[in-house]
């Protein structure tokens, strides 16, 4: 009997792991049952609101998380300054929108009609493009200045360099633009707090224009990225470099150029996410990138770092967990990050490489 | 290789040690501030100290001619909370600047960064007490940082006047040096609960806070007080500060059907909440804020969404002095007063109160200005000053705001005093 | 010639960007003030609204010199005409760009445009100063002139310098052949002398004893913080440096130590009033238990997965401490005040006593860490760090050793947490932010992974440097961030690398195959 037990190769750690997992699972099921059917404390409209806000935030997290994952997939480093890349995109978008709002539309004869309100959609497209491009540029420079000289150094060295870059960029933004919070000037069409009213049950729930807009755009960008990685030549060389740098170099791929382009793409997505953040939530200052940065990093690991669909799933899941988690478990909303991180720990205990992550080879880890 | 490492270590050690050592005397040309260490040594030669200084428990600050009278401040000037520190240091420095000095000595603000953290608050306090020309402290800004700094100033006999540290416990520790202009959470919460229940006639409210000591303190008082009056608190929810989406907690609160939501916290979170008010289904529910949410920033950034919101401020409605201050502040710093934080006016008064107290006790003898420290501590406690925030008169524990709050409501995007 | 112009343009562009950045963050006037201070120039002229223009011109000249210096690459020695071209093109480009920026901004300023809503540093006083209180066109011409002239001077100076050092090196090599040998031997025999060593140790000991007495409460406080961070660094070094596990939530153990101590000794909220030394022991124990709780399930994870899980754990601890849920237990966001302080010979510990205690503990910690490193356990850890699979194959119980490392690290953190709370007399949730973990990790890595003297250096750099940089006021964190990056690029192996931190297979960045010199091959 004992021998049989030993053959199963169960150590104390594993046993504890599974017992703990079982307890947690039973507790979760019980709580979910209690809040949804027994207590019924929230109506269907409230659940709908949770769902909508979770998806919108999830979309933004996904975009930032992809940046972490792309860089990690190729360089195996945590780009700690990625949140700051996003922050600078938010600033760039803000200035573009301010410019559009300040110029009055030509030919309309009405001085009070700004370019922004006369042509809201072209203005927004330009804003997104400029914001994302600025972030892409920052990402490129970041790699060139702070990471490239460190190729071949020990693994943790670029992490410290990234932390330094993060502190630098954050303070540079504060010194350049001042410490005050700023707010995006949305076109009147897309003003915050306006949207479609959808009837749910007896009440109606607002589906905001900005939220819908952000969500659709993030889905489009992610689809675009998937196509880029799967179909184009650049995508192929990115995958090749991620798989094996030396072999890729031998096949005639310019490894440094591919790494640069990876940083440009991840910066571009982060910048777009930054502008979305501004348009949807409005308020921002030099600190805006820090929390989304940490959250997106969590999301990337949750989905399996290095895996692009994993980052998307992880981001969405994290967004939903943050809005639905406290409600389902019936605990304070203040503790939503505790829930998110606990789920992360639980997922990693049972699936050590994240939800969609492949098991990494020893030498990669 | 090893020897090289040894050299590097030695160099680093030397650099750090040389920085720790007192300022070198053979280089008198470096920075004006650095010379301030010298007077201490020369004090003995100033033909003996005046009797008032020998009698004083903490001795005198001796400020030679050509030096400035320094007022210290520990404030979050960098990082996430930098707008508070920047605003308050600007307000105080303006007060020091408009004053025409005392017998030829002018005032100077020495603001050091704490990042808002208690640990750094203590570090700054330790730095302040080593500078002999710092006579008083405007601050600190956050309660945690103030708490950590108090014992250090207590030992050195430096009077404090905080425009924004609101934790009720701060004045309950028997500190002689600590005073504040800010309103304690206990008082403010009581006023707010009374207004909500008796005057506005609400019976069901929800209470929210931002998870900080300021917000939580207020929320707890309001909850207790409102229930004591006979009302019902249907939801008590905390949010995570610094985020940009509060639809989820607001929806949860909305589902309990409150008539009004009390929020203890700062403008940043209040603005985001206000803009998501209807998304969360709170359309007909009143927003009731605190003195941290009052200010131009709130009305600027909520626009139509902020209509009807209520907040509190120490600042009475427009006076001539206030508009003069507003104008000067705007011209000098390029932002409106109240844009960075709600404490611009209290900060200005803090400077004014400290100057008034210093001028009461300071005296000139020979080429030096003497400020008896112990007497200054008492003078600040005995302040009787009328400023932008009304009468400043400290009670025996150091609560100096004697004029009570004014409630404001947003009408047509402007804060108007509530009838 | 083409490369010369190219290099010159590059240098010019870079300095122009840096200089414009300095203008926008308002550093130019600060730098001018510092120069004024150093030269002893009066800060304010008779007319109080104007700053002395000379200081600013000196600063511009210095930046111009810098442009010239960087037009020449390290180790190169181009001919004189080439140098002339480099200096000129660099200076002219930089001058043109900066001059144009100044001209544009200045013209708008003259028309009464207020930039401060978007760029708060471009206020009237700063802009007036940048324009030398004259017209935009005259000012931009001055910039062009200064940049060109001083860039040229810089380039020529560097050329001269390289020639001189070349000569000096030649001289030196001849000289060293004669003298060097005997010198070196003397030095080594002196260091090797036991009497000398003992004397040195006694001297350092006396120095350490007396330093806290003389350098005042402020430096005691700062050095105390440095000492606490040395202890934290020693602890994290066991986890990261020795056993190679990347833990980003080290602050969790620090926080549990601090809070356990505070709650057991402070009058509020629980009034336990435990004996202080027992409380110190208990807080260490609680931290170890926390380590066990965290370590048992997750230490099978590797690399960055472990990093994010521990980061999450650190955040969980902080959020829980300040949450409404645990406020009755921990006093929530208000923190715990009046934390107990030890009593020595009838009076409460002063800052000097604390400093002495901390120094003793740091010495003890160094001793323990050193013994651990040289022990069988230490060798097992290093085996795990270098290659876990091989270590396992040679019979090392990796799981056991990893948990042991985590527990020891947690013990260090718990102890320093207790000291931290006691010394500050206060502990609040804001003291345990994510950046604490990051700072401690930086300490371990900046010093050199696994190296003990490196940690001391790292702690001085991380916690001492920002205090030294306080003179730079608002710019100190900016400078600090830039220094971190530069330090990593210049000395990626750390300030004082340990002897056995090889560029191991598993520890190499960016290359899954473990090839170190990818650059050469690509």
């Amino acid at each position: 009997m004992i021998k049989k037990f030993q053959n199963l190769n169960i150590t104390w750690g594993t046993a504890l792991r599974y017992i703990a997992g079982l307890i947690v699972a039973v507790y979760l099921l019980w709580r979910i049952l209690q809040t949804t059917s027994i207590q019924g404390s929230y109506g269907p409209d409230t659940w709908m609101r949770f769902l909508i806000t979770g998806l919108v935030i999830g979309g933004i997290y996904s975009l930032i998380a992809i940046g972490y994952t792309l860089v990690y997939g190729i360089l195996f480093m945590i780009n700690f300054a990625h949140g700051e890349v996003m922050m600078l995109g938010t600033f760039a978008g803000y200035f573009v929108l301010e410019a559009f709002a300040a110029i009055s539309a030509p030919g309309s004869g009405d001085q009070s009609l700004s370019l922004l309100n006369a042509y809201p959609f072209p203005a927004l497209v330009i804003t997104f493009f400029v914001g994302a491009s600025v972030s892409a540029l920052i990402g490129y420079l970041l790699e060139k200045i702070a990471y490239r000289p460190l190729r071949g150094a020990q693994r943790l060295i670029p992490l410290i360099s990234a932390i330094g870059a993060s502190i630098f960029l954050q303070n540079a933004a504060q010194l350049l633009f001042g410490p005050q919070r700023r707010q995006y000037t949305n076109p009147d069409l897309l003003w915050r707090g306006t949207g479609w009213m959808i009837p749910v049950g007896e009440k109606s729930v607002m589906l905001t224009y900005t939220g819908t807009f952000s969500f659709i755009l993030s889905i489009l960008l992610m689809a675009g990225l998937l196509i880029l990685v799967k179909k184009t030549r650049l995508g192929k060389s990115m995958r090749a470099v991620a798989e094996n740098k030396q072999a890729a170099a031998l096949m005639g791929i310019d490894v440094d150029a591919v790494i640069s382009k990876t940083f440009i793409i991840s910066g571009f997505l982060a910048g777009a996410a930054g502008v979305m953040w501004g348009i949807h939530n409005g308020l921002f200052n030099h600190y805006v990138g820090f929390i989304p940065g940490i959250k997106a990093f969590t999301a990337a690991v949750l989905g399996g770092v290095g895996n692009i669909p994993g980052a998307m799933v992880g981001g969405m899941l994290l967004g939903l967990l943050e809005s639905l988690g406290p409600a389902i478990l019936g605990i304070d909303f203040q503790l939503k990050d505790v829930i998110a991180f606990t789920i992360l720990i639980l997922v990693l205990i049972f699936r050590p490489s994240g939800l969609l992550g492949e098991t990494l080879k020893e030498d990669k880890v | 290789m090893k020897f090289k490492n040894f050299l590097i270590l030695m160099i680093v050690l030397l650099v750090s040690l040389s920085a720790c050592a007192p300022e070198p005397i053979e280089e008198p040309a470096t920075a004006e501030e650095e010379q301030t260490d010298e007077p201490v040594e020369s004090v003995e030669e100033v033909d003996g100290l005046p009797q008032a200084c020998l009698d004083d428990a903490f001795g005198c600050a001796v400020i030679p001619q050509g030096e400035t009278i320094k007022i210290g401040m520990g404030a979050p000037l960098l990082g996430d909370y930098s707008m508070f520190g920047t605003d308050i240091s600007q307000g105080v420095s303006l007060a020091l600047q408009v004053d025409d000095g005392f017998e030829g000595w002018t005032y100077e603000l020495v603001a050091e960064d704490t990042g808002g953290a208690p640990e750094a608050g203590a570090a700054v306090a330790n730095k302040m007490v080593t500078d002999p020309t710092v006579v008083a402290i405007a601050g600190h800004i956050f309660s945690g940082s103030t708490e950590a700094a108090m014992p250090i100033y207590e030992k050195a006999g430096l009077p404090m006047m905080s425009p924004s540290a609101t934790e009720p416990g701060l004045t309950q520790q028997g500190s002689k040096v600590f005073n504040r202009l800010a309103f304690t959470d206990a008082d403010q919460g009581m006023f707010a609960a009374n207004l909500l229940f008796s005057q506005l006639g609400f019976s069901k409210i929800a209470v929210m806070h931002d998870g900080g000591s300021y917000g939580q303190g207020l929320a707890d008082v309001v909850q207790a007080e409102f229930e004591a009056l006979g009302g019902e608190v249907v939801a008590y929810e905390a949010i995570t500060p610094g985020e940009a989406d509060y639809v989820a907690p607001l929806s949860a609160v909305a589902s309990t059907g409150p008539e009004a939501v009390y929020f203890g916290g700062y403008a940043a979170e209040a603005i985001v909440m206000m803009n998501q008010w209807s998304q969360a289904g709170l359309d007909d529910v009143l927003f009731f804020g605190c003195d941290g949410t009052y200010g131009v920033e709130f009305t600027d950034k909520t626009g139509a969404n902020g209509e009807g919101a209520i907040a509190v401020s120490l600042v009475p409605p427009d006076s001539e002095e206030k508009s003069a201050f507003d104008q000067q502040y705007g011209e000098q710093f390029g932002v409106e007063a109240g844009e960075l934080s709600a404490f611009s006016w209290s900060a200005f008064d803090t400077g004014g109160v400290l100057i008034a107290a210093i001028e009461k006790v300071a005296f000139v003898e020979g080429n030096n200005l003497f400020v008896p420290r112990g007497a200054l501590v008492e003078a600040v406690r005995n302040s009787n000053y009328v400023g932008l925030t009304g009468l400043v008169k400290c009670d025996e524990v150091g609560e100096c705001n004697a004029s009570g709050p004014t409630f404001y409501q947003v009408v047509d995007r402007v804060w108007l005093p509530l009838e | 010639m083409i490369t010369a112009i190219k290099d010159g343009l590059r240098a010019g562009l870079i300095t122009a960007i840096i200089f414009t950045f300095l203008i926008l963050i308002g550093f130019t006037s600060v730098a001018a003030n510092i120069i004024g201070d150093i030269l002893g120039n009066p800060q304010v002229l008779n007319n109080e609204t104007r700053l002395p223009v000379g200081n600013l011109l000196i600063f511009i000249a210095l930046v111009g010199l810098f442009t010239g210096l960087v037009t020449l690459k390290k180790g190169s020695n181009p001919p004189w005409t080439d140098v002339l071209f480099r200096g000129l093109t660099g200076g002219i480009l930089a001058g043109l760009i900066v001059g144009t920026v100044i001209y544009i901004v200045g013209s708008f300023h003259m028309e009464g445009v207020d930039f401060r809503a978007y760029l708060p540093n471009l206020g009237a006083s700063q802009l007036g100063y940048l324009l030398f209180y004259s017209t935009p066109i005259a000012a931009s011409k001055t910039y062009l002139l200064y940049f060109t002239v001083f860039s040229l001077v810089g380039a020529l100076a560097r050329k001269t310098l390289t020639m001189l050092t070349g000569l000096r090196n030649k001289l030196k090599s001849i000289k060293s052949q004669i003298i060097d040998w005997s010198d070196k031997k003397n030095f080594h025999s002196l260091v090797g002398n036991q009497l000398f060593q003992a004397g040195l140790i006694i001297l350092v000991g006396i120095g350490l004893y007396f330093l806290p007495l003389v350098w005042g409460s402020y430096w005691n406080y700062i050095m105390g913080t440095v000492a606490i961070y040395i202890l934290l660094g020693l602890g994290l070094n066991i986890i990261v440096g020795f056993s190679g596990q990347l833990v980003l939530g080290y602050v969790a153990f620090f926080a549990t130590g601090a809070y356990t101590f505070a709650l057991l000794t402070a009058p509020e909220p629980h009034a336990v009033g435990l004996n202080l030394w027992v409380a110190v022991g208990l807080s260490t124990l609680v931290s170890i238990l926390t380590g066990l709780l965290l370590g048992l399930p997750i230490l099978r994870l590797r690399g960055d997965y472990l990093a994010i899980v521990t980061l999450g754990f650190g955040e969980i601890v902080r959020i829980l401490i300040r949450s409404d849920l645990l406020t009755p237990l921990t006093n929530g966001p208000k923190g715990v005040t009046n934390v107990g302080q030890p009593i020595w010979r009838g009076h409460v510990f002063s800052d000097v006593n604390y400093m002495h205690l901390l120094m003793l503990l740091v010495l003890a910690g160094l001793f323990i860490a050193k013994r651990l490193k040289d022990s069988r356990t230490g060798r097992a850890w290093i085996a795990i760090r270098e290659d876990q699979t091989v270590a396992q194959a040679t019979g090392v119980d990796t799981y056991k050793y990893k948990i042991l490392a985590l527990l020891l690290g947690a013990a260090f953190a718990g102890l320093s947490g207790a000291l931290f709370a006691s010394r500050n007399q206060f502990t609040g949730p804001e003291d345990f932010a994510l950046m604490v973990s990051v700072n401690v990790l930086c300490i371990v890595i900046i010093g050199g992974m696994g190296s003990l003297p490196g940690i001391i250096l790292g702690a001085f750099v991380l916690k001492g440097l920002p205090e030294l940089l306080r003179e730079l006021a608002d710019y100190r964190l900016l400078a600090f961030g830039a220094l971190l990056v530069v330090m990593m690029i210049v000395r990626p192996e750390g300030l004082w690398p340990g002897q056995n931190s090889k560029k191991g297979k598993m520890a190499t960045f960016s290359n899954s195959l473990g090839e170190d010199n990818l650059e050469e091959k690509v």
Side-chain angles (χ1 to χ4, degrees), chain C residues 90-406:
Chain C
I92 290 176
L93 185 70
L96 275 179
I97 296 176
V98 174
T100 319
V101 170
I102 291 285
Y103 179 70
I104 294 171
V105 176
S107 317
F108 276 115
H109 169 63
M110 289 293 176
E111 283 171 26
V113 180
D114 191 351
F115 294 98
R116 286 180 302 178
Y118 300 110
L119 298 165
N121 286 307
L122 292 186
S125 63
Q126 156 102 350
L127 273 178
Y129 192 35
L130 283 171
L131 292 171
F132 314 120
Y133 306 108
S134 70
T135 59
I137 189 75
S140 52
K141 273 181 194 160
T142 317
Y143 278 95
L144 180 58
L145 182 74
Y146 264 74
F147 268 106
T148 316
V149 169
F150 282 96
S151 166
L152 192 60
V153 173
L156 294 177
R158 173 135 185 203
K159 166 80 178 165
T160 323
L161 221 69
T162 25
M163 283 177 65
L164 283 180
T165 41
L167 274 175
R168 209 179 62 199
N169 282 345
K170 259 182 205 161
L171 274 176
K172 223 179 178 179
S173 65
I174 299 167
K175 219 173 161 186
S176 63
Q177 277 171 359
I178 312 165
I179 310 167
D180 199 42
W181 183 78
S182 56
D183 243 16
K184 226 175 188 171
K185 202 177 168 193
N186 270 339
F187 181 76
H188 275 289
S189 66
L190 186 63
V191 171
N193 189 329
Q194 282 200 343
L195 209 71
F196 175 78
Q197 276 184 351
L200 199 72
I201 288 170
I202 290 171
L203 266 178
V204 169
I206 292 173
L208 283 181
Y209 178 78
F210 281 108
L211 264 179
L213 298 175
V214 294
W215 68 20
S217 65
Y218 173 60
W219 283 102
N220 270 335
Y221 190 83
I222 298 305
M223 288 302 143
T225 312
V226 170
I228 287 172
Y229 272 82
I230 292 177
L231 280 176
L232 283 174
L234 287 172
L236 188 64
N237 188 48
I238 296 176
I239 309 173
V240 179
F242 292 171
S243 77
Q245 306 301 306
L246 180 52
V247 166
L248 267 182
Y250 194 55
V251 71
F253 310 125
F254 188 44
T256 40
Y259 261 90
T260 313
F261 182 83
L263 293 175
L264 288 176
T265 59
E268 295 219 8
H270 298 306
V272 182
L274 205 67
N275 178 296
L276 290 171
W277 305 108
V278 180
V280 169
L282 269 180
S283 21
T284 314
L285 198 68
V286 170
S287 285
I288 294 176
L289 285 178
T290 319
L292 200 66
L293 183 80
L294 176 71
L296 278 182
I298 66 150
L299 268 183
R300 289 176 194 284
L301 300 172
R302 286 191 188 179
D304 303 303
Y305 289 96
L306 186 68
I308 186 71
V309 166
T310 49
L311 182 150
F313 185 71
E315 284 292 281
I316 288 177
V317 168
R318 187 182 64 88
I319 296 169
L320 282 179
I321 285 175
R322 81 199 295 261
S323 69
D324 287 348
L325 192 70
L326 291 189
T327 294
L329 178 71
T330 62
N331 226 9
K334 292 188 183 66
V336 185
T337 50
N338 294 324
V339 178
Q341 286 181 295
I343 291 170
W344 177 255
R345 289 194 192 151
H347 64 88
V348 176
F349 252 43
S350 68
D351 51 343
V352 177
N353 298 137
Y354 267 113
M355 201 58 225
H356 284 148
L357 177 68
L358 282 167
M359 281 172 171
L360 272 179
L361 283 172
V362 165
L363 286 179
L366 277 172
F367 179 73
I368 293 171
K370 174 89 183 128
R371 291 306 297 257
L372 274 173
K373 190 182 178 183
D374 296 339
S375 70
R376 194 184 154 77
T377 319
R379 285 198 298 278
W381 281 333
I382 287 164
I384 295 171
R385 181 183 79 190
E386 295 301 321
D387 194 322
Q388 191 169 334
T389 322
V390 171
Q392 205 151 19
T394 50
V396 177
D397 185 346
T398 55
Y399 188 55
K400 192 181 97 188
Y401 278 106
K402 281 199 273 185
I403 287 196
L404 185 65
L406 189 72

Side-chain angles (χ1 to χ4, degrees), chain A residues 178-342:
Chain A
Q180 66 262 50
R181 286 176 290 262
R182 295 165 182 279
Q183 193 174 34
Y184 265 54
T185 323
N186 286 14
D188 290 345
L189 265 178
L190 285 176
W191 198 254
R192 275 175 294 281
T194 53
W196 297 284
M197 299 304 281
I198 318 168
V200 176
E202 296 151 23
K203 296 185 179 161
S204 53
V205 171
M206 181 188 284
L207 187 61
T208 54
Y209 300 132
T210 53
T212 320
F213 181 75
S214 302
F215 185 72
I216 293 173
L217 190 69
S218 57
I219 297 291
L220 284 180
L221 280 172
M222 284 190 260
L225 179 79
L226 278 183
I227 293 170
L228 184 122
V229 171
K230 288 265 180 310
K231 303 279 184 215
T232 64
R233 204 181 145 71
L234 173 63
K236 274 184 196 152
S237 38
M238 274 166 70
R239 279 182 288 151
V241 172
E243 203 58 46
N244 186 333
K245 278 185 200 57
Q246 210 180 5
L250 290 174
M251 291 294 123
I253 295 172
D254 184 348
V255 175
D256 274 344
V258 171
I259 292 175
S260 276
K261 281 174 191 157
T262 311
F263 271 87
I264 289 175
I265 293 170
S266 69
F268 192 86
L269 294 178
V275 179
M276 263 178 220
W277 189 274
I279 289 200
H280 182 56
N281 299 317
L283 233 48
F284 72 99
N285 64 0
H286 56 277
Y287 201 68
V288 70
F290 189 74
I291 291 175
I294 299 285
K295 293 283 174 61
F297 178 37
T298 312
V301 175
L302 189 62
V305 68
N307 179 311
I308 296 171
M312 298 173 184
V313 172
M316 288 292 174
L317 194 65
L318 190 68
L320 286 176
L321 267 179
E322 283 189 356
S323 65
L324 287 168
I328 288 177
L329 298 177
I331 49 182
D332 292 353
F333 273 88
Q334 197 183 19
L335 300 179
K336 70 185 170 67
D337 291 346
V338 174
I339 298 172
F341 283 121
T342 313

Side-chain angles (χ1 to χ4, degrees), chain B residues 99-376:
Chain B
D99 193 272
D100 41 13
F102 180 72
E103 310 264 335
W105 275 265
T106 53
Y107 298 95
E108 186 189 344
L109 178 72
V110 187
E112 292 280 357
D113 174 44
T114 63
E119 182 209 342
V124 167
N126 272 310
K127 180 156 194 195
M128 289 295 168
V129 298
T130 55
D131 185 341
T133 55
V134 170
V135 296
I137 303 296
H140 288 188
I141 304 312
F142 286 150
S143 297
S145 160
T146 309
E147 185 92 59
M150 258 164 65
I152 297 157
Y153 293 133
E154 189 89 52
K155 272 181 217 159
L158 276 173
M160 304 165 76
M161 176 64 81
S162 173
S164 58
T166 57
E167 219 277 291
L170 289 175
T171 49
Q172 305 304 316
Q173 302 170 5
S175 168
K176 286 195 183 61
V177 296
F178 180 73
N179 308 281
R180 64 173 149 208
L181 256 180
F183 220 0
T184 71
D185 299 345
D187 285 351
Q188 189 188 156
M190 218 155 67
F191 278 116
N194 267 314
L195 186 77
L196 276 166
F197 187 80
S198 317
Q199 275 154 282
L200 299 172
F202 292 122
S203 57
K204 276 169 73 180
I205 63 163
V207 174
M208 296 180 78
H209 67 83
D210 67 352
S213 65
Y214 167 70
Q216 195 198 35
L218 275 175
D220 284 347
V221 176
V222 169
Q223 186 189 23
E225 206 60 38
F226 195 77
E227 280 172 351
L229 288 169
E232 188 193 352
V233 175
V234 289
Y236 184 92
E237 195 74 66
I239 56 170
T240 315
E243 303 230 319
D245 196 315
Y246 297 125
V247 176
L250 285 177
S251 307
V253 165
S255 71
T256 59
E259 295 165 341
V261 174
Y262 182 85
F263 175 68
Y266 296 111
E269 286 76 28
I271 291 164
V272 176
M273 284 166 69
M274 226 43 252
N275 282 332
Q276 291 163 348
W277 213 237
S278 48
Q279 253 168 287
L282 283 164
D283 286 302
D284 308 322
V285 182
L286 179 89
F287 175 89
F288 196 106
C290 51
D291 65 342
T293 54
Y294 174 79
V296 213
E297 192 187 6
F298 185 88
T299 45
D300 274 0
K301 290 178 178 159
T302 52
N305 295 333
E307 235 15 63
I310 293 179
V312 192
S313 175
L314 288 176
V315 192
D318 285 326
S319 60
E320 222 168 272
E321 292 83 17
K322 180 170 176 272
S323 33
F325 167 78
D326 286 352
Q327 197 195 346
Q328 197 169 5
Y329 187 101
E331 269 170 24
Q332 185 142 4
F333 304 113
V335 281
E336 272 183 83
E339 172 102 32
L340 290 173
S341 82
F343 299 103
S344 316
W345 305 279
S346 324
F348 185 77
D349 278 3
T350 304
V353 171
L354 289 176
I355 288 176
I358 291 169
E359 302 194 342
K360 218 186 283 172
V361 298
F363 57 92
V364 182
E365 226 179 270
N367 284 329
N368 293 306
L369 178 81
F370 293 91
V371 184
R373 293 185 185 280
L376 183 61

Side-chain angles (χ1 to χ4, degrees), chain B residues 86-98:
Chain B
T86 310
D87 184 39
I88 292 171
S89 66
Q90 287 174 353
V92 175
S93 70
L94 202 58
L96 305 190
Q97 199 182 314
V98 296

